[in-house]
Amino acid sequence: MTDTPAERLRLQLLEALQKARRSMTTAELREHIGDGVVIEAVYRGLTVLERRGQVRRQRNSGRHVHWTLAATKSPKAKS
């Protein structure tokens, strides 16, 4: 993958979710990243990660979306 600002942001989002060990809202992730990143860029990064299968979106009651790391599948044992 290319080392672009968007890809660096996606890596920061994955790291934040990994460290948090809990679901986080888009706003919480934006606050964690800081550095003048707008919430739209955070949301866009999360949707890319969701399409890649790296994060999962959880809709809770209310308007806030929570994000978690996607569960990793263990490789099937060969017989």
Side-chain angles (χ1 to χ4, degrees), residues 10-72:
R10 289 189 284 269
L11 288 172
Q12 288 178 303
L13 293 168
L14 288 171
E15 288 172 3
L17 286 168
Q18 187 174 31
K19 286 179 185 175
R21 296 183 152 188
R22 64 174 179 86
S23 66
M24 294 178 76
T25 66
T26 309
E28 288 174 325
L29 284 160
R30 189 250 163 255
E31 287 174 16
H32 181 81
I33 301 298
D35 297 326
V37 176
V38 295
I39 199 160
E40 292 84 0
V42 172
Y43 184 79
R44 190 170 39 253
L46 289 163
T47 58
V48 169
L49 293 170
E50 181 183 35
R51 281 194 306 269
R52 291 180 182 174
Q54 294 176 286
V55 300
R56 223 174 46 233
R57 179 189 321 226
Q58 298 178 321
R59 293 206 184 269
N60 297 337
S61 60
R63 56 181 246 163
H64 296 286
V65 175
H66 286 251
W67 302 89
T68 60
L69 289 176
T72 56

